[in-house]
């Protein structure tokens, strides 16, 4: 083994942290008899030669030796090495113009070339995976199907081998991996898709085991979602019920055979048409398919996966592991930490693989929102708290991405707040936090949870880590007055949760009892360099509650703002003064002084506040704002435009400067200027083309545009603008949904506001 490894000039090659002269030791470590050394070597491979999915010249040099390790039955933990190879060779550049478009002199060209060469090198040796589907090591059999489906160049041979293996494989989760791999082959090769879809459809109805039928449905959803049965939610719900009712623990899918099976070469010896279901011992599966560690994602349960107690990173040796009776390694590696985290999440869950299948199914169902709602609702009614926890997590991507009727889902998630399961409770509270007004169906459950929690402002700890801020934040963002008593107690804490303070304005008038505590806290803040960090949420809360009684404390901050983050402090204080309106006239001298501040943001905020406290007299501030509109700074011009728009008709003298902003390159300045122009002139016609153009150019401007149009309503927005608004209301995808699933915890709230503005602009017929 490792023939020629010393002939490679490793020092001339590189990886993520420099010369690759340490790589031979890592490769040899993968073949060690010591499980701790194997784990450290695997951790080193992911941390250097395949760091965050990258491929270096040293990575390419490793491929022949990794293939040699995989082929040797004497090497332990080869399943991990198969996954590593799948990650290295899994970048598919076929049909991609990326390589052709890059300059050969660019570093990106070299990176793309490395990916292409790695894919070719692993694919050239992929025959080694053919012999692993029947390996004695379960982890190898679990990893091999995905590697074959992703890397081997003969899809027909792979498909037939995987389906044949399905008829003799006895391990439940390995069989699910085989089905997933068949689906992956069909996704890669369109010519095989139709026949595979037929096989998956047969399997989803013919398999005796509900888990295998569920796996087939999941892959059918990925390959041909239109071919799913109309009652897919009911079907899946029934399969989940069968899984729960199974006796003797979470048995895996059994073998199947039978007439009419296009992928089952086994004959039916007794003519009954029924395959035998071998009895399988209960086992906690690792995961469905092979998830690469390259990006340091949570991996499937890999080698040496005996379960232990304790927190991640604090593992103790156990008497024996699942293979070979070896002690559990104790090395504090990232690979081990991620494995332990996965095990912690799956502790005691004999059918955890079912949740992987459900996630696959949800992803494939995509915009079939009603089906997904029905499926999640069924999961949320499951007697299994782990399945309910997964359902809550699945709610996140569903509701963040798609519009729909979620009242029942929200109510069911709210019901989880009463569970003794801390993970489920924290997941439910964390999801409800991002719903704002949509959390109303869960308000009673939120209020009940807040009432029984001795410290509802403090995040619960889950698995040694702080969870979400809890039900109190969700109740506050929903604008429910029942949050006020707990918030009052939270304000007595040394350091109140910042998110709670920022949420207080959603209470509107109901938050009035909190004003004295907010004033006291603001008045007690030292006017030092930490003021900018600590005063912001307090000032925002007081502004949102229009608490003019806080004016003395606000003026103290306004007059004593330190140099550090001065502009931020001043603008926050000025927004509060503006919210107080004419009752804050005492602040006028300070506001006039700040009109000439060198910071455009401060000057604009002072102008807006002065206009508010002097009862709508724009004469004193108009010259300053008109001058800012002519500045070269885009942010200053935007701030000035928005301030002028708030003045309305009295700022009509600034119309020429606003018109000059309608043709600038920056779409946000065009929108702000157009919205301000129609407000100061009282005429929408001039601004309308700019607003509708921005709507189509940048979807993130739609909330701002719709807010402006809602002020005019029908019939001012008839014609093309009305059609844009109607089309938006007809869409099921949220306007700000990111393809990668990320975003802000305000995204759902912002999209719901957009819909409300669209309905308001279109009038009663759209409501």
């Amino acid at each position: 083994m490792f023939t020629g490894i010393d002939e490679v000039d490793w020092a001339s090659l590189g990886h993520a942290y420099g010369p690759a002269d340490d790589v031979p030791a890592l490769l040899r470590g993968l073949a060690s008899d010591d499980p701790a050394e194997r784990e450290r070597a695997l951790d080193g491979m992911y941390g250097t030669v395949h760091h965050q999915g990258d491929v270096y010249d040293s990575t390419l040099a490793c491929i022949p030796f990794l293939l040699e390790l995989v082929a040797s039955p004497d090497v332990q933990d080869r399943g991990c090495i198969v996954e590593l190879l799948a990650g290295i060779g899994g970048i598919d550049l076929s049909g991609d113009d990326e390589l052709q478009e890059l300059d050969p002199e660019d570093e990106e060209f070299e990176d793309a070339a490395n990916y292409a060469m790695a894919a070719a090198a692993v694919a050239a040796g992929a025959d080694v995976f053919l012999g692993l589907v029947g390996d004695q090591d379960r982890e190898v059999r679990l990893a091999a199907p995905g590697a074959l489906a992703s890397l081997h160049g003969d899809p027909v041979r792979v498909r037939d081998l995987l389906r044949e293996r399905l008829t003799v494989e006895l391990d439940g989760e390995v069989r699910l991996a085989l089905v997933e791999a068949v689906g992956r082959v069909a996704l890669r090769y369109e010519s095989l898709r139709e026949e595979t879809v037929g096989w998956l459809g047969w399997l989803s109805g013919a398999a005796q085991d509900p888990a295998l039928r569920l796996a087939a449905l999941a892959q059918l959803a990925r390959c041909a979602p239109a071919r799913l049965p109309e009652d897919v939610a009911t079907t899946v719900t029934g399969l989940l019920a069968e899984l729960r009712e199974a006796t003797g623990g979470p048995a895996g899918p059994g073998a199947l055979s039978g007439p009419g099976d296009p992928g089952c070469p086994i004959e039916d010896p007794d003519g009954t048409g029924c395959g035998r279901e071998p009895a399988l011992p209960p086992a906690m599966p690792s995961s469905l398919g092979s998830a690469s560690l390259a990006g340091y994602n949570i991996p499937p349960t890999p080698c040496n996966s005996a379960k232990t107690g304790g927190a991640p990173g604090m593992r103790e040796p156990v008497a024996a592991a699942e293979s070979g009776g070896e002690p559990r390694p104790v090395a504090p590696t990232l690979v081990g930490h991620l494995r332990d985290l996965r095990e912690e999440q799956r502790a005691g869950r004999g059918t955890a693989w079912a949740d992987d299948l459900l996630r696959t199914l949800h992803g494939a169902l995509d915009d079939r929102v009603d089906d997904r709602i029905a499926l999640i609702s069924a999961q949320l009614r499951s007697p299994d708290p782990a399945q309910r926890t997964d359902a809550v997590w699945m709610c996140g991507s569903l509701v963040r991405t798609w519009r729909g009727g979620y009242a029942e889902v929200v109510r069911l998630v709210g019901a989880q707040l009463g569970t003794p399961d801390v993970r489920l409770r924290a997941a439910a509270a964390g999801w409800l936090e991002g719903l704002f007004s949509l959390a109303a169906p869960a308000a009673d459950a939120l209020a009940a949870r807040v009432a029984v929690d001795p410290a509802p402002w403090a995040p619960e700890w889950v698995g040694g880590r702080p969870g979400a801020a809890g039900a109190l934040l969700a109740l506050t963002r929903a604008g429910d007055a029942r949050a006020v008593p707990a918030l009052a107690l939270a304000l007595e804490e040394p350091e109140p949760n910042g998110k709670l303070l920022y949420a207080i304005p959603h209470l509107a008038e109901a938050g009035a009892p909190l004003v004295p505590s907010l004033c006291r806290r603001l008045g007690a803040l030292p006017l030092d360099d930490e003021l900018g960090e600590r005063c912001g949420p307090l000032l925002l809360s007081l502004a949102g509650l229009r608490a003019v009684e806080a004016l003395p404390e606000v003026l103290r901050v306004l007059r004593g703002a330190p140099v550090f983050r001065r502009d931020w402090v001043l603008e926050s204080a000025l927004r509060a003064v503006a919210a107080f309106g004419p009752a804050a006239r005492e602040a006028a001298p300070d506001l006039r002084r700040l009109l000439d501040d060198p910071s455009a943001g401060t000057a604009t905020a002072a102008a807006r506040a002065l206009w508010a406290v002097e009862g709508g007299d724009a004469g004193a501030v108009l010259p300053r704002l008109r001058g800012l509109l002519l500045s070269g700074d885009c942010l200053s011009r935007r701030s000035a435009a928005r301030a002028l728009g708030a003045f309305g008709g009295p700022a009509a003298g600034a119309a020429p400067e606003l018109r000059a902003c309608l043709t600038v390159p920056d779409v946000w300045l065009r929108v702000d200027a157009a919205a301000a122009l129609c407000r100061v002139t009282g005429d929408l016609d001039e601004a309308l083309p700019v607003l509708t153009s921005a709507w189509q150019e940048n979807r993130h401007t739609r909330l701002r545009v719709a807010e402006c149009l809602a002020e005019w309503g029908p019939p001012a927005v008839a014609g093309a603008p009305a059609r844009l608004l109607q089309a938006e209301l007809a869409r099921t995808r949220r306007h700000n949904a990111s393809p990668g699933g990320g975003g802000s915890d305000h995204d759902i709230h912002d999209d719901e506001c957009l819909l409300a503005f669209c309905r308001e602009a279109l009038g009663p017929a759209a409501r």
Side-chain angles (χ1 to χ4, degrees), residues 469-752:
L472 180 57
L473 178 58
L475 192 66
T476 305
R477 285 176 166 178
D480 196 299
R482 289 173 287 184
V484 171
L487 289 171
L489 293 174
L491 287 171
E492 301 302 320
E493 291 291 302
E495 293 292 337
N497 185 296
K499 280 191 172 184
L500 286 175
L501 296 178
Y502 281 120
I504 286 174
H506 291 280
L507 294 169
E509 295 180 0
L514 301 174
V515 171
S517 294
L518 292 168
C519 291
R520 185 169 59 254
R521 293 200 71 96
L522 183 62
L525 291 180
L527 301 177
D528 57 17
D529 285 352
E530 295 185 8
L531 183 65
E533 189 72 27
R534 303 175 69 185
C535 74
L538 294 169
L539 289 168
L540 181 70
S541 294
L542 291 166
L545 299 178
R546 302 187 185 279
V548 69
E549 56 265 50
L551 183 61
E553 288 80 8
V554 175
L555 287 177
R556 170 180 169 270
V557 170
L558 192 67
R559 294 163 181 166
V563 174
F564 183 70
R565 301 193 70 183
R566 173 182 176 275
D567 294 343
W568 165 257
V569 172
L570 290 180
E571 289 176 38
S572 298
L574 290 167
R575 280 193 292 268
V577 174
F580 299 159
R585 186 177 292 270
E586 176 189 342
D590 297 277
L591 304 180
R592 290 193 183 93
R593 174 177 55 84
L594 292 171
L595 279 178
D596 295 321
D597 194 90
S599 166
T602 298
T604 303
R608 193 162 184 171
L610 187 59
W611 178 83
V613 303
E614 292 193 336
D617 181 8
V621 300
L622 199 55
R624 178 68 166 129
L625 293 176
R626 293 179 70 175
L628 288 172
L629 278 177
L630 298 174
S631 72
D633 179 64
C634 188
L635 289 178
S636 299
R637 299 174 78 183
R638 286 189 60 196
S639 297
R642 298 195 71 161
L644 290 164
F647 299 169
E657 290 82 6
L658 290 170
R659 289 190 182 97
C661 296
L662 298 182
T663 57
V664 298
D666 187 84
V667 65
W668 287 101
L669 177 53
R670 296 200 306 269
V671 168
D672 286 334
L677 183 63
C678 65
R679 287 166 178 156
V680 303
T681 63
D683 184 4
L684 181 62
D685 291 342
E686 194 173 1
L688 203 52
V690 176
L691 295 173
T692 55
S693 174
W695 177 288
Q696 296 169 312
E697 177 183 340
N698 186 328
R699 59 193 169 96
H700 296 289
T701 66
R702 293 178 187 177
L703 178 58
R704 184 90 173 92
V705 172
E707 181 183 15
C708 179
L709 297 179
E711 297 173 13
W712 293 83
V717 296
R723 288 191 291 273
L724 286 178
L725 298 174
Q726 290 162 351
E728 186 64 46
L729 290 174
R731 289 189 184 94
T732 54
R733 188 179 182 89
R734 297 197 183 276
H735 83 285
N736 50 10
S738 301
S744 161
D745 64 351
H746 283 63
D747 282 352
I748 295 173
H749 176 62
D750 289 346
D751 186 69
E752 291 295 322

Side-chain angles (χ1 to χ4, degrees), residues 66 71 114 309 536 623:
L66 293 173
N114 283 345

Side-chain angles (χ1 to χ4, degrees), residues 49-320:
V49 301
H50 197 36
H51 177 67
Q52 296 185 353
D54 289 338
V55 173
Y56 307 89
D57 51 7
S58 64
T59 318
L60 298 172
C62 286
I63 291 174
F65 303 109
L66 293 173
L67 290 169
E68 186 179 358
L69 286 167
V70 164
S72 175
D74 295 330
V75 174
Q76 301 176 68
D77 299 338
R78 286 174 296 136
C80 300
I81 305 175
V82 172
E83 292 175 356
L84 176 61
L85 276 166
I88 292 172
I91 304 296
D92 184 8
L93 296 178
S94 60
D96 197 334
D97 295 332
E98 178 183 1
L99 204 57
Q100 288 75 19
E101 293 176 356
L102 292 175
D103 186 336
E105 300 298 323
D106 289 347
E107 183 178 346
E108 290 184 6
F109 179 89
E110 181 179 351
D111 293 341
N114 283 345
Y115 290 135
M117 288 188 287
V122 178
D127 277 356
V128 69
F129 302 128
L130 295 170
L132 301 182
V133 294
D135 197 273
Q136 292 185 352
D137 188 332
R138 173 187 180 274
E139 299 299 331
V140 173
R141 300 201 311 279
L142 188 61
L148 278 169
S150 300
L151 304 171
H152 202 279
D154 188 343
V156 174
R157 184 181 181 186
V158 170
R159 178 201 62 187
D160 292 346
L161 175 64
L162 295 173
R163 282 161 46 167
E164 181 179 356
R165 180 66 199 176
L166 187 62
T167 66
V168 295
E169 175 62 57
L170 300 183
D171 183 276
E173 194 178 2
V174 174
R175 303 196 67 193
L176 302 183
L178 290 165
V179 175
E180 183 197 22
V182 172
R184 191 179 301 180
V185 170
L187 285 173
R188 289 187 69 204
Y189 298 95
E190 188 173 356
S191 61
L192 303 181
R193 196 168 303 163
E194 183 62 28
E195 194 274 340
T196 301
V197 164
W199 179 79
L200 289 169
W202 170 85
L203 187 63
S204 67
Q208 297 179 41
D209 186 87
L212 205 54
R213 292 172 61 196
L214 188 59
L217 280 173
Q219 296 310 312
L220 184 61
R222 294 178 69 201
C223 296
R227 300 275 287 273
L228 284 171
E230 289 296 324
D231 60 344
V232 62
T234 303
T235 301
V236 172
T237 301
L239 293 175
L240 293 175
E242 288 184 47
L243 286 171
R244 288 195 302 268
E245 294 168 3
T247 58
L256 61 109
S257 61
D261 175 4
C264 181
I266 298 178
E267 296 180 358
D268 184 19
D270 57 7
T272 62
C274 297
R276 293 182 296 110
E277 297 253 323
L280 298 178
M284 207 283 286
S286 52
S287 78
L288 183 61
S290 300
S292 174
L293 293 172
Y296 292 145
N297 298 319
I298 294 177
T301 304
C303 41
N304 300 316
S305 55
K307 293 178 281 296
T308 64
M314 300 296 292
R315 305 187 304 282
E316 296 294 335
V318 294

